[in-house]
Every structure is written in structure tokens, then in C-alpha cells.
Amino acid sequence: MFVRDAMSTVILTIGPTHTLRQAARLMAARRIGAAVVMDADHSGVGILTERDILNSLGSDQNPDLETAGSHTTTDVVFAAPGWTLEEAAEAMTRGGFRHLIVLDDHGGPMGIVSVRDIIRCWTPALRHEGTLAR
């Protein structure tokens, strides 16, 4: 099975000036753990995860003042839709993260795959029933 079979094609995209509170609200409303941060002026495509937000809160930073751009991971490992799920899982394990942005042939984000997506595909009962929500 391939990344294209497991990834979610509905991506939350935010800008670097979104506050962490705004990002958290959007992520919570969609029940997702990561947002793609698009910053054409500086870093290009990055990712903001729930862990980034928790680290900021744990450091007593104000989520209404801290911006996504200040907490975005810009040194991102990207996946291709043709990667196997094993390749994606290896990249996640090696890098210590739980989400991969999937890029199309032109370098733009076309999806995101999470550990949960991979587990859903590797668990036969859930794969056939489609019962695991993203």
C-alpha cells in the first residue's frame, strides 16, 4: 500500500501570522494534529503540530501572541505519493515525528499522512470497515 492510499487530501493550511490559539482552534475543530504553514515570503512550506503548540504552552508563552511562524518546523521531511507506507513509517520513526506532508509533482502540498492513517491501513478490520475517523 502507498502513501497516496492512506493520506488525507483535506489539508488545513494556515499562514505564519496565525496565532497559536487560532491554529489550535482550527486543528481542534477538524480533529487533526497538524497544519501546513504556507509562507511564500520566507520558508515556503512548513508544518505546525499539536506538539509545537504544547511546547509553547508548556514554556508559559501566550498563545494569543505567539504566531505559527515562530513555531513552524521548516526543516520538513516530505513524502511522495508513491512512497510505500513502510517508507513513510521509517521516515517518521527516524525523524521522531507523526506527520508527513505529501507533495505533488510540482512541489505543492497534496495531502498529509499521519501515523494514525498508516495504522488504519495496516489494521485489516478497520481498513475494510472504514471505521477509524481521521
Side-chain angles (χ1 to χ4, degrees):
M1 197 166 257
F2 298 96
V3 165
R4 70 176 152 264
D5 303 317
M7 71 181 189
S8 173
T9 56
V10 178
I11 307 167
L12 172 60
T13 304
I14 62 173
T17 60
H18 277 78
T19 68
L20 291 187
R21 185 176 309 277
Q22 290 170 325
R25 281 186 178 145
L26 292 168
M27 290 164 63
R30 289 163 178 78
R31 299 180 62 200
I32 58 173
V36 174
V37 181
M38 301 293 289
D39 185 356
D41 294 334
H42 296 99
S43 59
V45 178
I47 191 165
L48 178 75
T49 67
E50 57 197 358
R51 183 179 299 161
D52 298 322
I53 295 170
L54 284 172
N55 286 338
S56 176
L57 292 174
S59 297
D60 292 326
Q61 295 177 334
N62 185 334
D64 294 311
L65 299 177
E66 293 297 315
T67 62
S70 298
H71 296 275
T72 297
T73 300
T74 56
D75 185 21
V76 180
V77 175
F78 297 102
W83 279 18
T84 65
L85 294 184
E86 289 81 6
E87 289 173 308
E90 287 173 15
M92 290 176 182
T93 301
R94 194 172 36 253
F97 44 80
R98 298 176 290 170
H99 300 87
L100 286 169
I101 299 171
V102 184
L103 298 181
D104 62 21
D105 292 337
H106 305 289
M110 66 179 286
I112 193 162
V113 65
S114 69
V115 170
R116 183 185 309 182
D117 295 326
I118 293 171
I119 290 170
R120 179 180 43 81
C121 290
W122 283 347
T123 307
L126 297 176
R127 181 175 57 237
H128 296 300
E129 295 174 18
T131 57
L132 187 61
R134 289 183 193 219

